[in-house]
Amino acid sequence: MEAASLCTMATCVLNQWSMDFAGNKRRILSSIIEAKRLGASYRLGPELEISGYGCSDHFYEGDTFLHSWQVLRDLLIDPATRDIVCDVGMPVRHLGVAYNCRVVFLNGQVLLIRPKTRMADDGNYRESRWFSRWTKRGEIDKTFQLPDLIESAIGQSTAPFGDAVLAFRDASLGFETCEEIWTIGSSHIDLFLNGVDIVVNSSGSYHQLRKLNRRVDLISSCTNKAGGLYLYSNLRGCDGERVYYDGSALVAMNGRLVAQSRQFALEEVEVTSATVDLEEIRNYRQANRSHCQQSAEAPALTRIAVPQWRLCRQDVAAACQSTNLPMEPRYHTPEEEIALGPACWLWDYLRRSGQSGYFLPLSGGIDSTATSCLVYSMSVQVFESVQSGCQEVLQDLRRIVRDPQFLPGSPQDICSRLFTTCYMGSENSSSETRQRAEQLAKEIGASHLALRIDAAVSALVAIFVACTGLQPKFRAHGGSAQENLALQNVQARVRMVLAYLFAQLVLLARGLTGNLLVLGSANLDEGLRGYMTKYDCSSADVNPIGGISKSDLRSFIRYSMRRHGISILGEIFSAPPTAELEPLAANGQLAQTDEVDMGMTYDELSAYGRLRKLDKCGPVAMFLRLRRLWPQHSAKVVADKVKHFFRSYSINRHKVTVLTPSYHAEAYNIDDNRFDHRQFLYNVNWPWQFQQIDQLVDQMAGCEPVLTTDKMELGHPESSNRAGGTGAGNSGSTYTTTGTVDKIQTNDTTGSKKSVLSSSVGYQGCVRLLAQIGRQRATWRGGIASTPIPPVESAAAKILASGNLAAARRRPQQQQQQLQGRIGKRTSPLAVKANNDSGRCRHRNQSNRAASKVQQLGNVEQAPIVARLTLSPRGCRVVQQQQQHQEPDEPTGHRRFPAPRMRLAIP
């Protein structure tokens, strides 16, 4: 290793703020100074770092471009930017067209202005609304005229504008910007084939649960195939929008990660450097002969020579410098991402809003509890940053609480100054939720209030009664559904009004100054379904959980229990979700739960949301997909569920247009402002689409393998490939089946013809299956022990074919009892946990030896089984694969077991 091949590169994570040109300039300069301190010869900054990425329609304004050039001028002439290659992002106009650009400069001279070649227009991105992409790959315009303010400051009038490689004296540097690495024809492919040593990517990538894994995979894989050094820079924080940029600057070489910055942090500037040996890149490529062949054939790219500068160090001390070793990527669990991302976003929003804290109506339910835990998580991160000596965070904290001497001793100290909660109970509220809310506030240190809203609600209802003469009643008191809903909504809206009243005046009542921001706590799934009152407590200033699904929130609550030791969370987690807007039952218990009100579970809601947004499914496509995903339901049941969802969704879609700005966390977010553009006035009956679903249900009725005790249906089901099914073996095709004693539904994983058994397990089930397919022999095989089953009577087969299962049950009853008697003598009670490769014991002495090895649970008809039915030319056998033990709740011989789960294999 020679000193001439060692280079140190720096990539930065900056917490920029759109249109904050002064603050953005300060943070850029700070990062350049830190990069030089680390010995870097090149500094990479995030996308559009001068103006801020989220300027949106401000990019239509000439002022935004002017102020960006003014900041660049100050950077060019600042002594801190000397003796290091600086790469900054800013918007630039060229020939009347706006481009998202990178400006690379060295010692006061602009080396290259590189426009973005691929626009990001999916998700929350709308870059093509403001910028055009540079379409002339590998071409530059050498006559780009720099503004007068730049020329007068540095004496340079023109600069290269376009797509080119910077060829320094000892290494070459190529460029990608954010979206370009995500596309199929990424720029780095041509760059690496042209022998470019280093590719750098300036990015503005926002946080989404589980997204960092994809970034790391992309960056590692591109250097793994072609060899090379890849630097990735990203923004961090809330720059004024619903998204949070989650940092994680990366450096990868030859397929391995060598440096990574933090994903979530409160510090505004973080610089990550990596020292690498460029000779390792050249050796890596030389050993890959196919790469060398392709590289020799690749068309040449435009290169701009920079002979006056070296990226590698030349001093003798460099030879003794250590290089970065490969490392494993650091990932957070989804629960940690929820705890950290929204909490950092809340901190940025609070310190930049000029307000004095947050106010939350705390109901004692899981959603408002999750919001409280996020505020507490924010307080924990602030406390840890102060403890680590971060003066910027401490100064922001003191400014917010309006106390220049404040020094927290714990996260609870911070929470008590920044967070106020209020339990707004009514006559419909239970004492349990009130106690939970009070205990939660106490454990996290929030300032807590409790009040009753009955007087306000009664006053509003009295006004209506006086004006109309109608006295509305709850459904429990004899009122109509319309009255019941109106009385629920007025309670919810009163809470919103009171929340804003208290947020504006509660600090004044304590002798303090300032206002509080109102937090909302409606989750993503409820917003999708529209299960909320318009302008209730879902209407707030910001909502940290509005982009998070219920299932992820519940996981986050479990994580918070472990991470922070908040004891009351266990009780809150176990409580059924309820709005508590209807009268309690006579015994004081809840008469209303969310899932019953919605007519669907939260897990089903998540499935609808992902199919609707991620898989782009309309009603018909969703029905077909769910029919395969939910084999335990009949086509009619799935159709009804899909219709109910789309009716509810379309009826309540108008609510989404006024949803509180929420933290973007999930890829199926419903944010109507930027992410999910759809109409809000629908024909809620969806006549054309629902008619198509009904036709599909009718078609499936003749082939759907769903049997009940009254009717038997045979046919050819639609093929599926769900997890849990197994491929066809030598003995025939395999189906996955889940059923109860009276109903078994199957899902074909091969597309083959099949028939279906129904009703019960063991001999009768095998009899019915054989009756349907015309087989005349079967074998019951339980692990090691095996017993032949007599042929099915033809009379029973005829009865079964007619669909009269009740009559068919009586026919083989005597044979079944005889069979059980034989099994009882040989292996009684039969329960198998061992396996036998042969699968058959043809002699009594073999069966007796096998019986000594098994655990005794119960007789064959009562035992729960997971079984495989295999039909071959020789007949059918039922192979017992697993038996679960359950302690008896009645005297021996009368045990209750759960419904069976079975797998069918039919040739």
Side-chain angles (χ1 to χ4, degrees), residues 334-394:
E335 294 82 6
E336 290 173 335
E337 291 187 64
I338 294 173
L340 297 173
C344 290
W345 183 76
L346 284 173
W347 174 248
D348 279 344
Y349 198 99
L350 177 60
R351 69 190 182 91
R352 287 172 170 169
S353 68
Q355 303 304 302
S356 300
Y358 288 113
F359 180 92
L360 173 68
L362 180 58
S363 68
I366 202 165
D367 291 332
S368 60
T369 295
T371 303
S372 299
C373 289
L374 287 176
V375 177
Y376 182 71
S377 178
M378 178 196 77
S379 301
V380 170
Q381 292 183 72
V382 171
F383 178 73
E384 291 176 349
S385 294
V386 171
Q387 290 292 100
S388 66
C390 182
Q391 291 300 309
E392 287 182 348
V393 174
L394 180 59

Side-chain angles (χ1 to χ4, degrees), residues 618-632:
V620 177
M622 186 179 293
F623 163 73
L624 291 173
R625 187 74 65 86
L626 289 177
R627 184 66 192 94
R628 296 191 294 270
L629 295 177
W630 293 347
Q632 71 273 24

